[in-house]
Amino acid sequence: DLKDNDNPGGTNSKVVKYEITGNFTGKLTVVYNDNVNGNTVVNNVALPFLKDTTYTANITGIGIGAQASIPGVAGQTATMKIYSGGTVVKTVSATAGSLGELVLPTIAHTF
């Protein structure tokens, strides 16, 4: 038998998509989180990164950030977006520095 948390189709659930796109050829460490379960870390991510997640009603805030774990090439770019209900609610872009380093600052969304 299913608990409420196992039923993402409930009326109070929130469908979210995290997306990172661009021409950055390095690898990223991506950290996304919510206010109940804490951080999820994904290492050595190549672009594009897409993650669909359904959060339960008790989740009121989410966030995502990323930074290069393996450098790319200076001038390459990446854009990170949070979609909620199919609409972009937050976005941030970054350009790799002279050493190929890239940081996408954390963006957050509250429901």
Side-chain angles (χ1 to χ4, degrees):
D1 60 293
L2 297 174
K3 299 182 306 229
D4 287 342
N5 288 352
D6 295 331
N7 179 15
T11 55
N12 294 322
S13 63
K14 301 160 180 89
V15 178
V16 171
K17 179 169 75 171
Y18 298 116
E19 176 185 79
I20 307 174
T21 57
N23 65 359
F24 183 70
T25 56
K27 298 281 199 293
L28 299 172
T29 297
V30 178
V31 179
Y32 59 93
N33 60 29
D34 64 63
N35 63 299
V36 174
N37 302 309
N39 289 340
T40 301
V41 179
V42 186
N43 291 306
N44 293 325
V45 172
L47 298 187
F49 171 78
L50 298 170
K51 173 66 179 168
D52 291 306
T53 303
T54 300
Y55 290 110
T56 54
N58 62 329
I59 305 298
T60 58
I62 59 171
I64 184 171
Q67 69 179 37
S69 54
I70 298 172
V73 176
Q76 290 179 331
T77 60
T79 299
M80 183 167 60
K81 297 177 182 175
I82 298 174
Y83 294 80
S84 179
T87 302
V88 175
V89 292
K90 290 287 169 29
T91 184
V92 66
S93 295
T95 301
S98 61
L99 302 176
E101 77 280 8
L102 184 129
V103 176
L104 287 158
T106 299
I107 51 177
H109 176 64
T110 54
F111 297 105

